[in-house]
């Protein structure tokens, strides 16, 4: 069964460093998303991406964050100058154009030290 | 902003019992979905109910939606130890794009 894959599963980075989280959405999906979940808290929407551009972003998604679809398969989230409070589980999701159900990856646990 | 809130926050039951959890939200929705998350893992889609539906079944799951009260419930019947997980409701609004998640209900099913 097709699935959304995320790498790495766990990343530890020093405060101030840049990280890139990678996702491979399901191949025939056209909408892509990033969400994050700080430990013990809600899953929060960060950004949605469609037709090679951001379609919606939350207040959390400030200039520190950027997304890219560098090729036909990968969808990346870049976090510049990481802060301690960026430590969270980051989930990628994708869905088909006219369907509602979003499929989530297993997440990348980011730890900023 | 619309927001799903679940209650209870935690639920502990014996295997074989039913588990019921509720979700409330604030603004109009197109759909409401329930997801399961095993500890430290990804989100697994369980069931979707559209705003014009009142009840939906999928296996041992039963979901209700009351748009007048802006609330939904998820019932897991004949629970199993493997049902131990956190359960989240998620709503999408008029734009039908992003999902807004509730805080989740942690369910522990004891063998």
């Amino acid at each position: 069964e097709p699935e959304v894959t995320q790498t790495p599963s766990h990343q530890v980075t020093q405060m101030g460093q840049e990280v890139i989280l990678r996702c491979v959405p399901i191949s025939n999906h056209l909408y892509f998303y990033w969400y994050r979940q700080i430990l013990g808290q809600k899953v929060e929407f960060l950004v949605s991406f469609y037709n090679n551009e951001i379609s919606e972003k939350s207040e959390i998604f400030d200039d520190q964050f950027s997304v890219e679809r560098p090729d036909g398969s990968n969808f990346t989230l870049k976090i510049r100058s990481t802060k301690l409070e960026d430590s969270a589980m980051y989930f990628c999701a994708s869905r088909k154009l006219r369907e509602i159900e979003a499929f989530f990856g297993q997440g990348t646990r980011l730890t900023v030290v | 902003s619309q927001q799903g809130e679940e209650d209870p926050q935690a639920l502990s039951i014996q295997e074989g019992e039913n588990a019921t959890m509720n979700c409330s939200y604030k603004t109009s929705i197109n759909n409401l979905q329930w997801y399961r998350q095993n500890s430290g893992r990804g989100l697994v889609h369980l069931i979707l109910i559209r705003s014009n539906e009142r009840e939906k079944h999928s296996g041992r799951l039963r979901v209700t939606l009351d748009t007048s009260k802006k609330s939904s419930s998820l019932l897991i019947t004949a629970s199993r130890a493997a049902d131990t997980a956190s359960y989240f409701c998620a709503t999408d609004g008029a734009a039908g794009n992003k999902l807004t998640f509730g805080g989740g209900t942690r369910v522990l099913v004891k063998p």
Side-chain angles (χ1 to χ4, degrees):
Chain A
E1 187 173 333
E3 59 182 16
V4 176
T5 57
Q6 290 185 243
T7 54
S9 56
H10 190 189
Q11 174 134 13
V12 181
T13 189
Q14 295 237 323
M15 194 167 53
Q17 296 295 305
E18 175 181 288
V19 294
I20 297 177
L21 310 184
R22 302 180 191 281
C23 169
V24 179
I26 296 174
S27 63
N28 60 347
H29 288 190
L30 297 178
Y31 266 102
F32 313 121
Y33 305 85
W34 283 102
Y35 290 82
R36 80 171 185 192
Q37 184 182 33
I38 295 171
L39 186 64
Q41 297 187 25
K42 295 182 181 183
V43 177
E44 301 172 291
F45 168 78
L46 291 178
V47 66
S48 59
F49 192 87
Y50 170 70
N51 199 26
N52 284 321
E53 61 183 21
I54 291 173
S55 55
E56 189 175 357
K57 61 182 180 180
S58 72
E59 294 170 353
I60 302 167
F61 194 89
D62 59 20
D63 293 342
Q64 187 194 2
F65 295 88
S66 62
V67 290
E68 195 177 31
R69 188 154 164 81
D71 53 42
S73 60
N74 289 285
F75 179 52
T76 62
L77 174 68
K78 182 188 291 186
I79 309 175
R80 286 178 282 274
S81 189
T82 50
K83 299 174 280 198
L84 295 177
E85 53 265 39
D86 294 327
S87 295
M89 186 77 107
Y90 288 82
F91 293 105
C92 174
S94 69
R95 69 173 175 92
K96 290 181 180 178
L97 180 59
R98 290 188 178 81
E99 295 191 3
I100 299 163
E101 181 183 346
F103 291 78
F104 282 76
Q106 290 296 307
T108 292
R109 182 172 298 283
L110 176 66
T111 303
V112 182
V113 297
Chain B
S1 61
Q2 68 182 40
Q3 189 174 33
E5 296 292 345
E6 279 101 329
D7 88 275
Q9 290 187 325
L11 184 59
S12 180
I13 56 174
Q14 292 293 137
E15 208 164 25
E17 293 180 340
N18 295 340
T20 300
M21 59 212 87
N22 303 294
C23 166
S24 61
Y25 56 92
K26 293 182 179 177
T27 60
S28 297
I29 61 169
N30 286 334
N31 311 283
L32 187 143
Q33 305 179 54
W34 285 90
Y35 284 82
R36 184 185 73 224
Q37 183 183 36
N38 288 64
S39 180
R41 304 295 301 278
L43 294 157
V44 175
H45 185 267
L46 294 177
I47 194 165
L48 177 150
I49 187 164
R50 297 176 190 274
S51 59
N52 62 353
E53 296 177 311
R54 291 296 165 258
E55 188 171 313
K56 204 159 183 183
H57 296 254
S58 176
R60 294 184 295 113
L61 304 180
R62 173 177 168 256
V63 170
T64 63
L65 179 64
D66 187 336
T67 53
S68 67
K69 294 181 180 177
K70 291 187 169 58
S71 68
S72 174
S73 68
L74 172 67
L75 167 68
I76 305 172
T77 60
S79 63
R80 305 167 182 166
D83 294 329
T84 294
S86 291
Y87 292 82
F88 295 88
C89 68
T91 56
D92 69 70
N97 199 3
K98 69 178 184 184
L99 293 174
T100 301
F101 283 83
T105 294
R106 293 188 311 279
V107 175
L108 171 63
V109 182
K110 293 178 281 189

